[in-house]
Amino acid sequence: MQRLWAVAGIFLLIGSFWVGCESSRKPVRTGLDVLLSERQELICGKRVGIITNQTGRTADGRFIADVIQRIPGVTLTALFGPEHGIRGKRAAGAFVESYRDSATGVTVYSLYGKNRKPSPAMLDSVDVLLFDIQDIGARFYTYISTMGLAMEAAAERGIPFVVLDRPNPITGDIVEGPVLQPDFSSFVGMYPIPIRHGLTVGELAQMINGEGWLSNGIQANLTVMRMENWHRTLWYDQTGLPWVQTSPNMPDLETATLYPGMCLIEGTNISEGRGTHSPFKLFGAPWIQGDSLKHVLENFHSLGVSFSTTEFEPQSLPEMAPNPKYLGQICSGLHLRLTNRNIFRSVSFGVEVLSAIHRLYPKHLTFRKSFDLLAGQSTLRQQIENDVPPKDIVAGWTREISDFKIKRKKYLLYR
């Protein structure tokens, strides 16, 4: 009995230690806050352009454009908005036009309309270009493609490019999924990185620059404003920063954690839950039987996630999904809930989901052309169509992920 009490005491001490560590952890300071407090010389006396959206905020919630415009000696001359617009209200894939921002009086150039890359004319009044957007750590989230094209435009004009770094919200130590093959480069995947890349935008910018991935190997005059107090194992809710919805269908951290794998479903005729208020947490179709699918998935031994059968009816949600798959039709499928995010592997789970559905409904499941662009290759689709076991598909990524980790090592800014 004494031994049991001694063991219990040890565990209590360990628990108290970790609670103490959590409570004493310093909040993360983003690149924007560090720039404002310590490195204003990078923008003082300059005409500044900013690529940003609703996530470009200081720790106390002020919008970057409002803050920069008020700094003496700084002239804000241009704003650039990515997919979903500078206020994050436009639906996925929706054309975004350029306009004049009523709050600042500055022109907002759309980088998700007829231009994906800043034109020379857009940069005529810019001496330094800032990038401040919260990414979510998945290759096909288009903000990082916008960053790369903007770096390229700045390099071509000899304009310094400054990335105000922000956390990878789903940690920087988990890397998974196939590495994109060059023939499958597109706006939903421009660079040879895994689906879940484990990089901050600043680290990725350094890698893009250092590996010569910009057009014709051009080099940007790049500065990364590093964060303070962030390390690779931190989840976003451990940073002390408030969550700002990064896009209309990315309401919370759990969705962001599920997204790298569940977004693959977008490249099929399965609903990924768009048209509901739980996108990527739900999936299904009118021809799926949730109970049968649940049974097959349970046999794949997925870790860190639970799933229950559900029915849902996608609706037109103007700012989220104006025309979702199976609009107004009852879909049967599964509802997901994370049980242990540290062991959950989203991309692997996405493969398990698609493999299970193909085994059950090979004549119903169809892949769109966009699937190979999301996967960054055609091999994944072919493996699923040929019923290759998910564990074997995932094992096939081991070497390329290992090679990627070696390559990225010299660009890492945080431990």
Side-chain angles (χ1 to χ4, degrees):
M1 181 64 71
Q2 288 180 335
R3 181 176 297 175
L4 287 174
W5 280 113
V7 171
I10 290 171
F11 277 105
L12 282 170
L13 284 172
I14 292 172
S16 300
F17 173 78
W18 284 113
V19 169
C21 286
E22 287 286 331
S23 62
S24 64
R25 179 181 291 144
K26 294 181 179 179
V28 171
R29 296 183 69 219
T30 69
L32 172 59
D33 286 308
V34 174
L35 172 78
L36 295 174
S37 64
E38 300 171 22
R39 296 296 307 277
Q40 287 193 22
E41 76 276 5
L42 291 174
I43 55 175
C44 281
K46 305 286 180 62
R47 298 174 300 170
V48 177
I50 308 173
I51 305 159
T52 193
N53 65 4
Q54 73 284 355
T55 65
R57 296 189 175 275
T58 61
D60 58 6
R62 293 174 295 156
F63 186 49
I64 180 174
D66 300 331
V67 177
I68 295 295
Q69 191 177 49
R70 293 189 177 98
I71 298 175
V74 175
T75 305
L76 179 63
T77 56
L79 294 170
F80 301 85
E83 184 179 6
H84 309 295
I86 202 163
R87 304 293 178 180
K89 298 297 185 181
R90 302 300 293 271
F95 185 91
V96 181
E97 65 287 337
S98 297
Y99 63 96
R100 187 167 294 276
D101 181 51
S102 59
T104 61
V106 172
T107 298
V108 179
Y109 296 105
S110 172
L111 298 181
Y112 200 78
K114 63 181 180 181
N115 289 81
R116 296 287 173 92
K117 174 180 174 179
S119 68
M122 293 177 185
L123 297 175
D124 276 344
S125 63
V126 173
D127 297 323
V128 59
L129 191 56
L130 309 182
F131 179 91
D132 188 21
I133 298 178
Q134 177 62 59
D135 184 45
I136 64 162
R139 184 182 66 215
F140 30 62
Y141 212 56
T142 61
Y143 299 157
I144 57 177
S145 295
T146 295
M147 180 180 70
L149 291 173
M151 284 174 61
E152 194 171 281
E156 290 166 353
R157 294 294 301 271
I159 296 171
F161 192 87
V162 181
V163 175
L164 306 180
D165 213 4
R166 288 185 178 270
N168 185 322
I170 57 175
T171 80
D173 70 335
I174 300 174
V175 178
E176 58 168 339
V179 172
L180 180 138
Q181 297 173 0
D183 289 346
F184 294 88
S185 178
S186 72
F187 197 64
V188 292
M190 296 189 70
Y191 305 110
I193 59 178
I195 290 176
R196 185 173 179 178
H197 50 72
L199 297 166
T200 68
V201 287
E203 292 172 332
L204 179 57
Q206 291 201 143
M207 191 170 191
I208 291 170
N209 214 34
E211 293 297 313
W213 291 342
L214 298 179
S215 180
N216 300 315
I218 193 170
Q219 292 277 309
N221 179 2
L222 174 66
T223 299
V224 176
M225 192 59 51
R226 293 179 55 167
M227 295 176 282
E228 292 180 356
N229 306 322
W230 188 79
H231 60 78
R232 312 205 73 78
T233 61
L234 282 184
W235 293 86
Y236 195 87
D237 57 9
Q238 297 171 322
T239 64
L241 298 169
W243 177 267
V244 177
Q245 189 163 324
T246 57
S247 60
N249 286 282
M250 201 58 60
D252 52 42
L253 179 57
E254 185 176 36
T255 305
T257 307
L258 291 164
Y259 178 77
M262 300 315 296
C263 184
L264 291 171
I265 290 175
E266 286 195 306
T268 73
N269 62 337
I270 307 163
S271 169
E272 65 285 357
R274 289 189 189 271
T276 76
H277 290 284
S278 299
F280 307 109
K281 295 179 182 179
L282 300 175
F283 66 92
W287 40 269
I288 285 177
Q289 292 183 343
D291 287 333
S292 299
L293 179 57
K294 183 174 184 288
H295 177 72
V296 175
L297 269 179
E298 286 173 338
N299 290 334
F300 284 147
H301 305 296
S302 300
L303 299 176
V305 64
S306 66
F307 27 84
S308 56
T309 57
T310 190
E311 287 188 344
F312 60 94
E313 182 181 338
Q315 301 292 320
S316 178
L317 303 176
E319 291 185 357
M320 294 179 67
N323 188 31
K325 298 172 190 171
Y326 302 119
L327 176 65
Q329 299 182 53
I330 301 297
C331 295
S332 177
L334 298 180
H335 185 279
L336 307 177
R337 185 176 68 85
L338 289 180
T339 56
N340 188 333
R341 63 189 182 183
N342 291 305
I343 63 173
F344 176 67
R345 295 295 180 264
S346 178
V347 184
S348 302
F349 181 69
V351 171
E352 290 183 355
V353 167
L354 290 169
S355 296
I357 293 173
H358 185 265
R359 288 170 187 267
L360 288 170
Y361 309 103
K363 294 182 179 179
H364 286 85
L365 176 63
T366 60
F367 291 88
R368 301 176 173 184
K369 291 181 179 179
S370 60
F371 183 86
D372 289 354
L373 298 180
L374 292 170
Q377 53 164 255
S378 60
T379 304
L380 178 56
R381 171 180 51 79
Q382 293 164 357
Q383 290 173 316
I384 293 170
E385 290 175 330
N386 291 324
D387 289 327
V388 176
K391 62 181 179 60
D392 294 339
I393 296 175
V394 172
W397 306 333
T398 302
R399 178 61 182 272
E400 55 191 290
I401 289 176
S402 177
D403 291 344
F404 170 76
K405 284 183 173 180
I406 293 171
K407 184 178 291 186
R408 77 168 188 163
K409 191 171 183 179
K410 60 184 175 182
Y411 303 111
L412 299 184
L413 298 170
Y414 314 94
R415 294 184 178 179

